[in-house]
Amino acid sequence: MNVLITGGAGYIGSHCSRYFRAQGVDVTILDDLSEGHREAVGDARLVVGDCGDGELLSRLFAEKTYDAVVHFAAFTSVGESVAEPRKYFHNNVENMLTLMNAAVDHGVGYFVFSSSAAVFGEPAELPIREDHPQRPINPYGETKMIGERMLADYERAYGLHSCSFRYFNAAGDAEDSAIGESHQPETHLIPLVIQAALGKRPPLTVFGTDYDTRDGSCIRDYVHVEDLASAHYLGLRYIMEHGTSEQFNLGSETGFTVLEIIQAVEKVTGLPVPYSLGARRAGDPAVLVAGNAKAKDLLGWDPKKSDLETILRDAYHWELKRTY
Ligand code: UDP
């Protein structure tokens, strides 16, 4: 099977590319390296370019027959999307449309899409299942919702089958520390807590201590990036076998507060985490927890690495050994 993976040099994309290759899939990565890392690609085939470059896509699709596109390339920062929506609609919507058109024009039948829990906005009920209303509260979430809707319309009109995955909080790193999370700047909680413990950055600020949760800090559902990778493979196989389109929420169905993450990092690393209590961050819902029954039932997905200890152990090892 030949698969084109956009954003395959990024955090989730690189773990997914590696997993697909381990399953014997022939992977071509398309990444402009604006946020991705050449080191994350290993010895996979890498085409450096923009997934919104129609001419480049025509050349790629003409030189090789691809069975599927797996689309990760996107901007992912909520705060930045509020400040610069133009950048987000251009990359996450316009470029995705160009990619979908190229796929359809060249007879690619399957499309796997990196969506987000941000499509749901403030949860009306927990855990958040797939049929929860979609009311995104920022441009990033809107771009992902539009992506899912474009795919639904393209299936109806052009028969492009798709699988969309709404990630909750992707975390952890490859078990062997060969690849891992590296954002510039880093904004995600787990790498920040570990780096603070190691003295690589100033003390962490806990964003908000007056939420209606068990200790006042926000609750999130952390899911191991290698479990996300296996879900993508299972999802692609599923839509190929069934000739259908599906959406799945990917999380562990267990929530942890920010303060619990700090305590768990102290336990796993044996190091004290310096932190201070601060104000809420704009746009943060109090609690986000995924309902993951659909992925388990339909795909046979088994998120066996998504217990907190494994996530933090792999994240700590990556932080000690990181090469990029
Ligand atoms: N968070 C925090 N301090 C930080 C970074 C994050 O308290 O320096 C909190 C954030 O408010 C949220 C949780 O940690 O409740 C996870 O945030 P992250 O940015 O990792 O992921 P998000 O939930 O925004 O996708």
Side-chain angles (χ1 to χ4, degrees):
M1 175 162 51
N2 293 332
V3 173
L4 181 70
I5 301 187
T6 74
Y11 171 43
I12 304 172
S14 61
H15 288 82
C16 192
S17 301
R18 196 170 187 233
Y19 186 88
F20 273 49
R21 294 182 77 212
Q23 309 307 310
V25 176
D26 184 309
V27 168
T28 299
I29 291 171
L30 174 61
D31 197 302
D32 66 3
L33 299 180
S34 60
E35 296 188 0
H37 304 270
R38 196 177 283 275
E39 300 92 323
V41 166
D43 60 358
R45 178 181 178 220
L46 169 67
V47 177
V48 179
D50 187 341
C51 69
D53 180 345
E55 282 178 21
L56 170 62
L57 292 171
S58 290
R59 275 206 307 282
L60 280 177
F61 285 126
E63 76 187 26
K64 190 167 176 174
T65 302
Y66 288 96
D67 301 287
V69 170
V70 184
H71 180 45
F72 292 100
F75 294 135
T76 60
S77 164
V78 167
E80 189 185 48
S81 80
V82 176
E84 293 184 66
R86 181 174 179 159
K87 181 175 168 181
Y88 276 69
F89 283 99
H90 170 66
N91 193 27
N92 296 9
V93 177
E94 206 174 333
N95 287 351
M96 176 172 171
L97 186 62
T98 303
L99 177 66
M100 287 166 55
N101 287 338
V104 165
D105 289 346
H106 291 85
V108 179
Y110 304 94
F111 197 101
V112 179
F113 175 46
S114 179
S115 186
S116 169
V119 299
F120 296 114
E122 198 69 51
E125 55 188 59
L126 292 162
I128 301 175
R129 286 188 295 269
E130 283 75 6
D131 59 0
H132 187 285
Q134 294 194 14
R135 289 189 290 256
I137 53 171
N138 51 61
Y140 169 65
E142 281 168 12
T143 65
K144 293 294 176 180
M145 186 181 74
I146 292 168
E148 290 194 19
R149 294 195 174 164
M150 294 195 303
L151 285 170
D153 289 335
Y154 269 48
E155 160 146 73
R156 269 189 292 275
Y158 311 122
L160 179 67
H161 301 301
S162 66
C163 191
S164 298
F165 289 111
R166 292 86 171 244
Y167 316 138
F168 282 64
N169 287 59
D173 303 277
E175 193 179 340
D176 63 1
S177 305
I179 57 174
E181 183 168 16
S182 180
H183 295 111
Q184 211 48 260
E186 189 53 77
T187 60
H188 294 111
L189 181 68
I190 289 176
L192 292 180
V193 175
I194 292 173
Q195 289 167 14
L198 289 168
K200 289 186 176 180
R201 65 168 65 237
L204 182 93
T205 304
V206 175
F207 294 148
T209 53
D210 57 350
Y211 287 100
D212 185 15
T213 60
R214 44 188 178 265
D215 63 22
S217 63
C218 285
I219 293 179
R220 293 289 179 273
D221 180 341
Y222 297 89
V223 54
H224 198 297
V225 68
E226 291 193 324
D227 286 334
L228 294 182
S230 66
H232 285 71
Y233 181 71
L234 293 168
L236 176 57
R237 295 289 301 266
Y238 185 89
I239 59 169
M240 285 179 149
E241 273 162 31
H242 294 81
T244 181
S245 290
E246 292 292 349
Q247 300 79 36
F248 297 96
N249 295 355
L250 296 181
S252 69
E253 230 171 65
T254 309
F256 294 97
T257 69
V258 175
L259 292 169
E260 286 166 351
I261 295 292
I262 290 172
Q263 284 158 12
V265 167
E266 290 184 332
K267 193 163 161 229
V268 165
T269 63
L271 299 167
V273 174
Y275 68 92
S276 62
L277 304 177
R280 291 184 178 197
R281 185 174 67 176
D284 267 342
V287 185
L288 288 176
V289 177
N292 63 17
K294 183 177 174 187
K296 284 181 169 169
D297 293 348
L298 236 56
L299 304 180
W301 184 53
D302 177 17
K304 53 181 177 291
K305 299 190 167 188
S306 292
D307 63 281
L308 194 57
E309 206 180 315
T310 305
I311 287 175
L312 296 180
R313 188 201 60 213
D314 290 347
Y316 181 49
H317 289 164
W318 164 247
E319 198 54 58
L320 293 176
K321 294 184 203 157
R322 61 191 298 154
T323 47
Y324 57 90

